[in-house]
Amino acid sequence: MTGGPVLVINSGSSSLKYQLVTPDSADVLASGLIEQIGEPSGRITHTTGSHSETEESPVVDHGAALSALREQFDRHGPDLDEVGIAAVGHRVVHGGPDFSDPVIIDDAVLTEIEALSPLAPLHNPAAVAGIRAARARFAVPHVAVFDTAFFAGLPEAAKTYAIDRELAAEHKIRKYGFHGTSHEYVSHQAATELGVPVEDLNMVIFHLGNGASASAVQGGRAIETSMGLTPLQGLVMGTRSGDIDPSIYMFLHDVARLSVTEVDTVLNKQSGVKGLCGDNDFRVIEQRIDRGDPGARAALAVYVHRLRHYLGAYAFALGRLDLVVFTAGVGENSSLVRAEATRGLAHFGLELDEDRNASRSKDSRIISTDASPVTVMVVPTNEELAIARKAQNLVG
Ligand code: ADP
């Protein structure tokens, strides 16, 4: 059955997010979050409209999480049999070199996704567990939508690391990029808002959430992105370092005497603005800056320095820049980050309107001056809707 809502599932190692969404109207019929999977205590939150129900109950594994999801719908609605879901859309972080489009999941596809686990050891096994459990409970087409897909067509020079070719080929080491579903969705939303075909626009997109990435999109096609083989490369993030001298890995191992696992934990979980100032929530960082806290100020300076580095690099890669777009938690909400990232660039055609930038809204909006040759926008991302639409397109 097509035309019905799509159940979107984002299955992480210890949590699972879901949303029941109608792709055409973007109506969210229900959403939920299942937390602490595999731990002695668990929490399940199910939201319909403005009403949320939270339940504390252990969730032993992803199978139990899917049973809990089903139970939430049975108890609090909407009735899944009545609404007739058209498909289940699964967010899959790593599509490797072969998945450049969404696919209907069969046993062979599932095996392939599982085989990509060395490239995304934290993410792909969790997605596979979620897909297996969901396929056992929902007899509708299941569609995998890959975070890497939008960047599958990066130019060779952009996606190639300057390391031994054979070693890279053997282990599939190249730049893959992540947050692709968001970058693609936002590029189209921005074009629609401006009333200009995406094919006619060159843009730099900053997806600034807890994880953060930049992309250069030329005529709707991504030509560069800041994340790499893994989501650790690129921008300074909430808890990830982003770009560092690769030798820091060895240095921390040899000189600071950290194990390889400890180095990985430091760079992924204890770095970024959290490592610099102790906080990774920009609401808190901004409050600290307002109080004159030098540590928070310094962390923001490092964060912004990297944003500007990528903005400049990507503007040159594009050759002509029409649009800069900010999205995700920090990008949509922090007028301070947006102002600092674009300060003093009038000579490069980029001029922010202070009042527009300061105004708060959940809608897409232009925040540059009318005279600014480069338009700057805030465009809220909606990865669930994008996944639902891709699933619908495939099964419809
Ligand atoms: P992710 O999906 O990567 O977890 P989000 O896109 O939801 O992240 O972004 C989460 C981050 O957004 C928070 O950690 C916080 O830093 C930032 N954020 C959310 N709301 C605000 C706000 N009002 N002002 C500044 N930053 C905000």
mmCIF file of all heavy atoms in Angstrom, residues 273-279 285 288-289 292-302:
data_model
loop_
_atom_site.group_PDB
_atom_site.id
_atom_site.type_symbol
_atom_site.label_atom_id
_atom_site.label_comp_id
_atom_site.label_asym_id
_atom_site.label_seq_id
_atom_site.Cartn_x
_atom_site.Cartn_y
_atom_site.Cartn_z
ATOM 1 N N VAL A 273 34.341 21.589 21.284
ATOM 2 C CA VAL A 273 34.159 22.678 22.259
ATOM 3 C C VAL A 273 34.083 22.131 23.684
ATOM 4 O O VAL A 273 34.480 22.800 24.635
ATOM 5 C CB VAL A 273 32.924 23.569 21.940
ATOM 6 C CG1 VAL A 273 33.204 24.471 20.747
ATOM 7 C CG2 VAL A 273 31.667 22.759 21.731
ATOM 8 N N LYS A 274 33.622 20.864 23.810
ATOM 9 C CA LYS A 274 33.591 20.243 25.151
ATOM 10 C C LYS A 274 35.008 20.120 25.715
ATOM 11 O O LYS A 274 35.256 20.440 26.888
ATOM 12 C CB LYS A 274 32.942 18.864 25.055
ATOM 13 C CG LYS A 274 33.019 18.062 26.329
ATOM 14 C CD LYS A 274 31.663 17.743 26.844
ATOM 15 C CE LYS A 274 31.757 16.984 28.142
ATOM 16 N NZ LYS A 274 30.632 17.275 28.991
ATOM 17 N N GLY A 275 35.926 19.648 24.888
ATOM 18 C CA GLY A 275 37.312 19.514 25.329
ATOM 19 C C GLY A 275 37.937 20.861 25.645
ATOM 20 O O GLY A 275 38.768 20.988 26.538
ATOM 21 N N LEU A 276 37.518 21.880 24.888
ATOM 22 C CA LEU A 276 38.127 23.205 25.067
ATOM 23 C C LEU A 276 37.597 23.931 26.294
ATOM 24 O O LEU A 276 38.332 24.639 26.966
ATOM 25 C CB LEU A 276 37.881 24.069 23.808
ATOM 26 C CG LEU A 276 38.624 23.618 22.547
ATOM 27 C CD1 LEU A 276 38.123 24.385 21.331
ATOM 28 C CD2 LEU A 276 40.127 23.829 22.722
ATOM 29 N N CYS A 277 36.284 23.788 26.554
ATOM 30 C CA CYS A 277 35.732 24.611 27.647
ATOM 31 C C CYS A 277 34.844 23.841 28.620
ATOM 32 O O CYS A 277 34.314 24.431 29.563
ATOM 33 C CB CYS A 277 34.978 25.818 27.077
ATOM 34 S SG CYS A 277 33.357 25.437 26.418
ATOM 35 N N GLY A 278 34.675 22.532 28.382
ATOM 36 C CA GLY A 278 33.905 21.733 29.337
ATOM 37 C C GLY A 278 32.427 21.607 29.000
ATOM 38 O O GLY A 278 31.734 20.789 29.586
ATOM 39 N N ASP A 279 31.944 22.415 28.075
ATOM 40 C CA ASP A 279 30.525 22.333 27.679
ATOM 41 C C ASP A 279 30.419 22.124 26.184
ATOM 42 O O ASP A 279 31.209 22.673 25.413
ATOM 43 C CB ASP A 279 29.792 23.643 28.037
ATOM 44 C CG ASP A 279 29.418 23.686 29.507
ATOM 45 O OD1 ASP A 279 28.746 22.739 29.970
ATOM 46 O OD2 ASP A 279 29.810 24.653 30.191
ATOM 47 N N ILE A 285 27.258 27.565 26.476
ATOM 48 C CA ILE A 285 28.461 28.305 26.077
ATOM 49 C C ILE A 285 28.133 29.793 25.901
ATOM 50 O O ILE A 285 28.864 30.672 26.366
ATOM 51 C CB ILE A 285 29.058 27.703 24.779
ATOM 52 C CG1 ILE A 285 29.597 26.291 25.076
ATOM 53 C CG2 ILE A 285 30.162 28.588 24.205
ATOM 54 C CD1 ILE A 285 30.074 25.522 23.869
ATOM 55 N N ARG A 288 27.699 31.469 29.213
ATOM 56 C CA ARG A 288 29.015 31.692 29.837
ATOM 57 C C ARG A 288 29.711 32.888 29.193
ATOM 58 O O ARG A 288 30.351 33.691 29.886
ATOM 59 C CB ARG A 288 29.864 30.421 29.718
ATOM 60 C CG ARG A 288 29.425 29.323 30.687
ATOM 61 C CD ARG A 288 30.215 28.033 30.496
ATOM 62 N NE ARG A 288 31.652 28.224 30.612
ATOM 63 C CZ ARG A 288 32.559 27.268 30.364
ATOM 64 N NH1 ARG A 288 32.151 26.053 30.001
ATOM 65 N NH2 ARG A 288 33.842 27.514 30.482
ATOM 66 N N ILE A 289 29.598 32.993 27.877
ATOM 67 C CA ILE A 289 30.221 34.141 27.188
ATOM 68 C C ILE A 289 29.577 35.444 27.667
ATOM 69 O O ILE A 289 30.268 36.434 27.938
ATOM 70 C CB ILE A 289 30.100 33.982 25.651
ATOM 71 C CG1 ILE A 289 31.030 32.846 25.192
ATOM 72 C CG2 ILE A 289 30.428 35.287 24.930
ATOM 73 C CD1 ILE A 289 30.856 32.442 23.734
ATOM 74 N N GLY A 292 31.036 36.720 30.595
ATOM 75 C CA GLY A 292 32.444 37.131 30.466
ATOM 76 C C GLY A 292 33.448 36.015 30.694
ATOM 77 O O GLY A 292 34.614 36.272 30.983
ATOM 78 N N ASP A 293 33.001 34.765 30.533
ATOM 79 C CA ASP A 293 33.867 33.605 30.770
ATOM 80 C C ASP A 293 34.904 33.458 29.633
ATOM 81 O O ASP A 293 34.535 33.202 28.488
ATOM 82 C CB ASP A 293 32.949 32.375 30.827
ATOM 83 C CG ASP A 293 33.683 31.092 31.101
ATOM 84 O OD1 ASP A 293 34.806 30.916 30.610
ATOM 85 O OD2 ASP A 293 33.103 30.254 31.818
ATOM 86 N N PRO A 294 36.211 33.607 29.939
ATOM 87 C CA PRO A 294 37.223 33.563 28.867
ATOM 88 C C PRO A 294 37.366 32.186 28.224
ATOM 89 O O PRO A 294 37.667 32.086 27.034
ATOM 90 C CB PRO A 294 38.523 33.973 29.576
ATOM 91 C CG PRO A 294 38.275 33.802 31.028
ATOM 92 C CD PRO A 294 36.800 33.862 31.261
ATOM 93 N N GLY A 295 37.144 31.107 28.981
ATOM 94 C CA GLY A 295 37.281 29.757 28.426
ATOM 95 C C GLY A 295 36.232 29.493 27.353
ATOM 96 O O GLY A 295 36.527 28.939 26.289
ATOM 97 N N ALA A 296 34.998 29.912 27.634
ATOM 98 C CA ALA A 296 33.910 29.719 26.670
ATOM 99 C C ALA A 296 34.158 30.581 25.428
ATOM 100 O O ALA A 296 33.946 30.144 24.295
ATOM 101 C CB ALA A 296 32.575 30.082 27.316
ATOM 102 N N ARG A 297 34.653 31.782 25.646
ATOM 103 C CA ARG A 297 34.950 32.717 24.536
ATOM 104 C C ARG A 297 36.030 32.103 23.629
ATOM 105 O O ARG A 297 35.926 32.143 22.401
ATOM 106 C CB ARG A 297 35.424 34.036 25.158
ATOM 107 C CG ARG A 297 35.693 35.166 24.234
ATOM 108 C CD ARG A 297 34.437 35.913 23.830
ATOM 109 N NE ARG A 297 34.353 35.929 22.376
ATOM 110 C CZ ARG A 297 33.293 36.308 21.669
ATOM 111 N NH1 ARG A 297 32.186 36.684 22.269
ATOM 112 N NH2 ARG A 297 33.296 36.297 20.369
ATOM 113 N N ALA A 298 37.060 31.540 24.263
ATOM 114 C CA ALA A 298 38.171 30.955 23.495
ATOM 115 C C ALA A 298 37.681 29.742 22.696
ATOM 116 O O ALA A 298 38.082 29.537 21.545
ATOM 117 C CB ALA A 298 39.305 30.553 24.431
ATOM 118 N N ALA A 299 36.802 28.930 23.290
ATOM 119 C CA ALA A 299 36.269 27.760 22.584
ATOM 120 C C ALA A 299 35.464 28.199 21.366
ATOM 121 O O ALA A 299 35.596 27.636 20.274
ATOM 122 C CB ALA A 299 35.392 26.933 23.529
ATOM 123 N N LEU A 300 34.664 29.234 21.544
ATOM 124 C CA LEU A 300 33.877 29.737 20.409
ATOM 125 C C LEU A 300 34.797 30.253 19.303
ATOM 126 O O LEU A 300 34.541 30.043 18.115
ATOM 127 C CB LEU A 300 32.918 30.853 20.868
ATOM 128 C CG LEU A 300 32.050 31.371 19.722
ATOM 129 C CD1 LEU A 300 30.851 30.454 19.495
ATOM 130 C CD2 LEU A 300 31.574 32.795 19.964
ATOM 131 N N ALA A 301 35.894 30.901 19.718
ATOM 132 C CA ALA A 301 36.825 31.456 18.727
ATOM 133 C C ALA A 301 37.430 30.339 17.868
ATOM 134 O O ALA A 301 37.554 30.479 16.651
ATOM 135 C CB ALA A 301 37.917 32.256 19.433
ATOM 136 N N VAL A 302 37.785 29.218 18.508
ATOM 137 C CA VAL A 302 38.364 28.093 17.762
ATOM 138 C C VAL A 302 37.306 27.508 16.816
ATOM 139 O O VAL A 302 37.570 27.198 15.649
ATOM 140 C CB VAL A 302 38.889 27.003 18.730
ATOM 141 C CG1 VAL A 302 39.388 25.781 17.969
ATOM 142 C CG2 VAL A 302 40.004 27.574 19.604
#
